[in-house]
């Protein structure tokens, strides 16, 4: 495999992983909105016990989802930097 082929392969992988991190960011934003709606429902509907429970469930689901997707984004960024480091190591070994 040529040096240019190796670089193109790594660039494709890095672009794909960055795109997946962006997708996780969109899900994170959606879960933040869900948790926010849950807070609003919980605060403004004091008289209705079912709405209060719904608000708490939305806050719980949104918060847990944000933790999960936030961790995924964190690990994804670490993985991208590992791929970049691996590319640099591969290019050094090819040049030698």
């Amino acid at each position: 495999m040529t040096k240019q082929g190796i670089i193109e392969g790594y660039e494709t992988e890095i672009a794909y992983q960055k795109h997946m991190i962006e997708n996780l960011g969109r899900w994170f934003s959606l879960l933040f909105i869900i948790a926010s709606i849950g807070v609003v429902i919980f605060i403004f509907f004091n008289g209705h016990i079912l709405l209060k429970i719904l608000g708490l469930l939305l806050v719980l689901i949104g918060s847990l989802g944000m933790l999960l997707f936030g961790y995924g984004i964190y690990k994804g960024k670490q993985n991208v930097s590992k791929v970049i480091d691996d590319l640099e190591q591969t290019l050094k070994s090819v040049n030698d």
Side-chain angles (χ1 to χ4, degrees):
M1 182 170 252
T2 65
K3 183 178 176 181
Q4 187 61 30
I6 292 172
I7 292 173
E8 287 175 3
Y10 273 98
E11 285 177 347
T12 303
E13 179 64 24
I14 291 168
Y16 177 76
Q17 289 188 16
K18 285 184 177 182
H19 178 71
M20 290 300 115
I21 291 171
E22 289 173 9
N23 287 343
L24 289 174
R26 289 184 192 105
W27 279 101
F28 186 89
S29 298
L30 175 67
L31 289 165
F32 178 77
I33 291 170
I34 289 172
S36 300
I37 291 170
V39 168
V40 169
I41 290 173
F42 183 77
I43 290 173
F44 287 114
F45 293 100
N46 290 331
H48 299 90
I49 189 73
L50 292 177
L51 287 176
K52 254 195 161 359
I53 292 171
L54 174 66
L56 281 174
L57 283 174
L58 288 176
V59 169
L60 183 67
I61 290 169
S63 299
L64 291 176
M66 286 171 58
L67 285 172
L68 180 69
F69 282 93
Y71 183 69
I73 291 169
Y74 170 74
K75 294 301 273 187
K77 287 181 180 179
Q78 282 184 337
N79 195 34
V80 168
S81 64
K82 285 181 184 177
V83 171
I84 292 171
D85 291 341
D86 188 48
L87 170 62
E88 291 171 355
Q89 291 296 325
T90 304
L91 289 179
K92 283 182 186 177
S93 67
V94 169
N95 286 335
D96 293 338

